[in-house]
């Protein structure tokens, strides 16, 4: 997680430099992807979301606009988190809080983890 924050901070600085010219706000949320989904992102890394998504739902909508294939691996056609996917804000699973309406603090990490099962 610390490496992701460092990487995202470097991307944020670069994005902020470009965005100041056109008046856009800075990035506030990073999406930490499992290895299985990183291949769907052009540079094979985690995703820093532009703007200021206030909830998990808003973050996922931003992800949909920028990385549609990743979004479809996380969210069903009905707009719900897939049963085999867990989303965490910090250390808290959103399923045990407010679900997709879970608030995202400034600088939050939204961690995507596939469920693990077996015997």
């Amino acid at each position: 997680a610390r490496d992701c924050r460092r990487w995202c901070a470097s991307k944020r600085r670069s994005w902020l430099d470009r965005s100041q010219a056109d008046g856009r706000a800075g990035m506030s949320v990073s999406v930490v992807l499992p290895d299985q989904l990183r291949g769907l992102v052009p540079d094979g890394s985690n995703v820093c979301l532009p703007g200021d998504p206030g909830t998990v739902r808003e973050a996922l909508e931003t992800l949909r606009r920028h990385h549609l294939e990743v979004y479809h691996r996380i969210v069903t056609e009905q707009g719900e988190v897939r049963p085999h996917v867990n989303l965490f804000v910090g250390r808290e699973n959103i399923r045990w809080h407010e679900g997709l309406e879970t608030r995202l603090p400034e600088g939050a990490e939204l961690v995507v983890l596939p469920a693990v099962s077996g015997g």
Side-chain angles (χ1 to χ4, degrees), residues 47-87:
V47 176
C48 291
L49 299 177
D52 188 20
T55 65
V56 171
R57 183 181 308 279
E58 291 171 7
L60 291 174
E61 281 301 312
T62 302
L63 183 67
R64 182 183 61 78
R65 288 192 299 275
H66 295 278
H67 300 286
L68 184 62
E69 196 169 350
V70 174
Y71 172 84
H72 284 302
R73 300 287 178 97
I74 298 170
V75 179
T76 68
E77 294 76 17
Q78 292 76 32
E80 298 299 322
V81 177
R82 293 187 179 279
H84 63 278
V85 174
N86 293 302
L87 297 178

Side-chain angles (χ1 to χ4, degrees), residues 32-37 83-88 111-117:
V32 180
L33 299 172
D35 288 339
Q36 300 91 323
L37 296 181
H84 63 278
V85 174
N86 293 302
L87 297 178
F88 291 82
V111 179
V112 180
L113 287 177
V116 178
S117 63

Side-chain angles (χ1 to χ4, degrees), residues 1 14-15 23 36 41 43 48 52 60 70 72 92 97 99 102 104:
S14 154
W15 191 84
Q36 300 91 323
V41 178
D43 61 358
C48 291
D52 188 20
L60 291 174
V70 174
H72 284 302
E92 303 296 325
H97 290 278
T102 300
L104 293 172

